[in-house]
Amino acid sequence: MALLPSRVKFRKSQRGSRKGTASRGNKLDYGEFGLQTLDRGWVKNNQIEACRVAITRFLKRKGRVFIRIFPHKPVTARPPETRMGKGKGAPEFWVAVVLPGHMLFEVSGVNEATAREACRLAANKLGIRTRFVSRTSTNA
Amino acid sequence: MANILELTAQTRELSGSSSVRRMRKEGQVPAVVYGSKTKNANLKVSTKTVTQLLKESASENVLVNLQIDGTKTQLALIQKVQHDHLKGGILHIDFHAVDMNEPIHATVPVEVVGDAEGVKAGGQLDLMLHVLEVHCLPKDLPEKIVVDVTHVGQAQGVHVKDLKLPEGVSVHLDGEVLILSITEPRVVETPAQAAAAAPKAAAKK
């Protein structure tokens, strides 16, 4: 089941700004290894789920996975072949806004080679550039 | 006994974003030294030296003997290192001037050693606290806190009260705070369950 908010105050939102780099959520907080984004963009909730499945399947019940992003933002879409007007479209999916530096996923309890491969598989599910980080590389 | 490293620093007159940006390009890291008994001073240190120093140490909270302009010597704790979270370079360093006879607070990494019994039995080791804040005299500052997990079984953990801290070192956390735990393995499919599931899968086809 893909992530989505349980309750929201407003059903539809504007596109918002994606300027700057991540000032929070840019460090390894829970695991020993992580996947950090280098690009800015929207990550859909089904992409997050695909990454989670890719990592957990590769780890084969070992280790732990931490998802550091959440799709708070609703995105609307208009049905195809509709004329202009008649208001904003219906909410279609949810996205997480990510800025360069955001830690997307963290992994713990496995060795570096396993974590690196799991993160590589997860990165293939995303449309943004990412990099693998570890506590030793960041001296965190 | 804490390892005290030598580091040379120069006082700097310039401050402000454009000046420090130029300084970083020239291979210098802006820094500041402060303390209850010393006057604040803006400093600069060599990027190469400080990167090497941090690379060789277990954590970023290390004691250094600052030689300022080759005239003054000041014992200081590296209080904070600001990193560029994308490029990884060092942006700024805070040095906290300390007295050898006054206790300090510092964060020390936790290192897990040994093969736990619980892990051998299929459990999963979860490290909750990667760093610990310790309170001690500068001379007693440990490089890391070593936690031996050899005798930790499944569904057991190591709490703060179980730690064997070096003499003169205390931790400002409740004794019941969990540092690591070994959780039981998740439900593994047994051959009997697999056999029961097989006819259902065949029936679907």
Side-chain angles (χ1 to χ4, degrees):
Chain A
M1 179 68 187
L3 292 169
L4 80 166
S6 58
R7 196 168 67 100
V8 287
K9 195 168 182 181
F10 300 106
R11 287 176 57 232
K12 299 174 185 178
S13 78
Q14 296 187 337
R15 284 188 175 78
S17 166
R18 293 186 286 191
K19 282 199 283 188
T21 57
S23 58
R24 296 187 293 177
N26 54 20
K27 290 189 178 73
L28 283 169
D29 282 337
Y30 303 97
E32 285 108 49
F33 310 102
L35 188 68
Q36 190 181 36
T37 173
L38 301 173
D39 280 343
R40 67 192 74 243
W42 285 350
V43 177
K44 285 165 72 169
N45 56 352
N46 57 0
Q47 287 178 304
I48 300 172
E49 178 63 10
C51 292
R52 187 194 65 79
V53 169
I55 296 173
T56 48
R57 280 193 186 161
F58 187 77
L59 298 184
K60 291 173 190 161
R61 296 194 199 97
K62 286 175 189 159
R64 275 184 82 178
V65 184
F66 303 90
I67 304 172
R68 295 288 307 275
I69 50 171
F70 188 85
H72 287 287
K73 190 178 183 66
V75 177
T76 61
R78 296 169 60 82
E81 298 179 11
T82 337
R83 289 181 182 272
M84 288 294 109
K86 310 284 184 228
K88 193 170 165 75
E92 281 292 311
F93 52 88
W94 297 85
V95 293
V97 180
V98 297
L99 302 176
H102 264 144
M103 203 61 73
L104 304 178
F105 299 94
E106 288 185 28
V107 178
S108 74
V110 289
N111 61 31
E112 182 167 347
T114 312
R116 192 180 282 275
E117 179 60 15
C119 287
R120 188 190 69 79
L121 293 170
N124 286 343
K125 312 289 178 198
L126 300 168
I128 48 176
R129 285 184 308 133
T130 55
R131 74 166 169 207
F132 176 80
V133 289
S134 67
R135 279 190 186 264
T136 48
S137 70
T138 55
N139 210 354
Chain B
M1 176 70 189
N3 191 13
I4 300 173
L5 306 159
E6 295 293 325
L7 187 66
T8 53
Q10 291 84 41
T11 50
R12 68 180 157 99
E13 303 294 324
L14 299 168
S15 61
S17 58
S18 60
S19 305
V20 295
R21 199 179 299 131
R22 210 171 301 125
M23 204 180 292
R24 288 185 196 115
K25 275 186 183 171
E26 290 164 1
Q28 301 282 326
V29 177
V32 65
V33 62
Y34 50 77
S36 58
K37 290 176 183 171
T38 53
K39 209 177 167 187
N40 296 0
N42 289 338
L43 304 174
K44 58 182 178 183
V45 289
S46 161
T47 311
K48 202 176 167 184
T49 316
V50 83
T51 309
Q52 189 65 24
L53 185 145
L54 292 175
K55 204 176 171 183
E56 287 168 3
S57 59
S59 79
E60 288 184 343
N61 276 176
V62 287
L63 277 174
V64 289
N65 222 353
L66 272 181
Q67 290 193 347
I68 303 166
D69 296 330
T71 53
K72 193 182 158 194
T73 308
Q74 174 69 57
L75 181 70
L77 175 78
I78 298 183
Q79 188 76 24
K80 189 177 171 105
V81 182
Q82 289 178 25
H83 290 277
D84 184 326
H85 59 267
L86 282 174
K87 293 172 189 165
I90 299 168
L91 297 177
H92 187 269
I93 301 175
D94 278 18
F95 292 106
H96 185 184
V98 292
D99 191 338
M100 261 306 191
N101 302 316
E102 282 189 11
I104 54 167
H105 286 273
T107 52
V108 179
V110 174
E111 190 179 84
V112 180
V113 293
D115 292 331
E117 282 174 10
V119 174
K120 282 180 193 165
Q124 174 66 50
L125 193 147
D126 282 336
L127 185 61
M128 319 280 181
L129 291 178
H130 291 90
V131 289
L132 275 177
E133 191 178 335
V134 296
H135 184 69
C136 61
L137 286 174
K139 68 177 176 65
D140 298 326
L141 183 68
E143 200 176 340
K144 57 195 169 192
I145 303 282
V146 179
V147 183
D148 188 6
V149 292
T150 314
H151 300 295
V152 185
Q154 271 189 29
Q156 290 180 346
V158 176
H159 298 83
V160 169
K161 64 183 177 190
D162 306 326
L163 285 178
K164 286 174 187 164
L165 295 168
E167 206 167 313
V169 179
S170 62
V171 178
H172 274 269
L173 281 175
D174 191 78
E176 293 299 322
V177 173
L178 196 60
I179 291 174
L180 62 89
S181 69
I182 296 176
T183 51
E184 287 173 357
R186 292 179 222 173
V187 180
V188 181
E189 198 177 29
T190 58
Q193 285 172 331
K200 286 179 192 172
K204 277 184 185 176
K205 284 177 187 175

